[in-house]
């Protein structure tokens, strides 16, 4: 893998990981530590450390890719369990579906249904 290909791959993994964290963990202030840690790790790896072993960098990129895959898979699995109705409380899921349906036609749910 060439230098520019490696940088592109790292940037793609970085974007995907931040997107997964924002989507599945959240953007709230109390959960910002996850994205802050990720940003710091990528900055540390890219900030002028020319003597770092390329295999170490590849290992870090693979770890970030694997964590992205884990986040997406866990939440996909949870969604499947909800859809199969496997002994879970579906009231929150139904509120979310009702909210999306109402929003798609430009309406808002009454306060009774708001999560």
């Amino acid at each position: 893998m060439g230098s520019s290909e490696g940088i592109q791959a790292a940037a793609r993994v970085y974007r995907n990981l931040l997107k997964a964290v924002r989507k599945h963990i959240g953007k709230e202030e109390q959960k910002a530590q996850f994205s802050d840690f990720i940003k710091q790790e990528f900055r540390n790896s890219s900030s002028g450390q020319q003597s770092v072993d390329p295999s170490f960098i590849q290992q870090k990129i693979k770890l970030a890719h694997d964590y992205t895959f884990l986040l997406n898979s866990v939440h996909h699995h949870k969604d499947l369990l909800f859809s199969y109705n496997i002994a879970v409380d579906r009231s929150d899921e139904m509120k979310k579906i009702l909210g999306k349906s109402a929003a798609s036609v430009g309406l808002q749910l009454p306060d009774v249904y708001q999560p």
Side-chain angles (χ1 to χ4, degrees):
M1 184 181 315
S3 176
S4 65
E5 292 172 359
I7 292 171
Q8 289 175 350
R12 184 172 46 251
V13 168
Y14 177 66
R15 281 192 305 270
N16 289 338
L17 181 56
L18 283 178
K19 189 185 309 180
V21 166
R22 278 192 301 264
K23 181 178 180 182
H24 300 302
I25 294 177
K27 294 183 265 189
E28 294 87 24
E29 184 67 32
Q30 67 269 23
K31 297 177 182 177
Q33 62 197 14
F34 294 106
S35 56
D36 291 344
F37 176 76
I38 292 165
K39 290 173 188 174
Q40 188 62 39
E41 283 295 308
F42 271 87
R43 285 186 184 124
N44 288 344
S45 297
S46 66
S47 64
Q49 298 176 356
Q50 304 300 334
S51 63
V52 176
D53 184 22
S55 66
F56 178 73
I57 293 173
Q58 282 300 110
Q59 205 172 26
K60 290 281 235 181
I61 290 172
K62 183 174 178 355
L63 179 66
H65 181 269
D66 291 346
Y67 188 68
T68 304
F69 188 73
L70 175 70
L71 274 176
N72 290 328
S73 297
V74 164
H75 285 276
H76 181 68
H77 181 254
K78 183 180 136 194
D79 290 342
L80 284 174
L81 289 177
F82 276 135
S83 71
Y84 295 151
N85 198 19
I86 306 292
V88 292
D89 182 24
R90 298 202 59 200
S91 61
D92 290 338
E93 185 67 21
M94 290 308 294
K95 286 179 186 176
K96 189 186 305 181
I97 290 171
L98 285 172
K100 286 181 181 179
S101 298
S104 70
V105 294
L107 300 174
Q108 256 187 345
L109 290 177
D111 290 337
V112 178
Y113 292 104
Q114 294 296 329

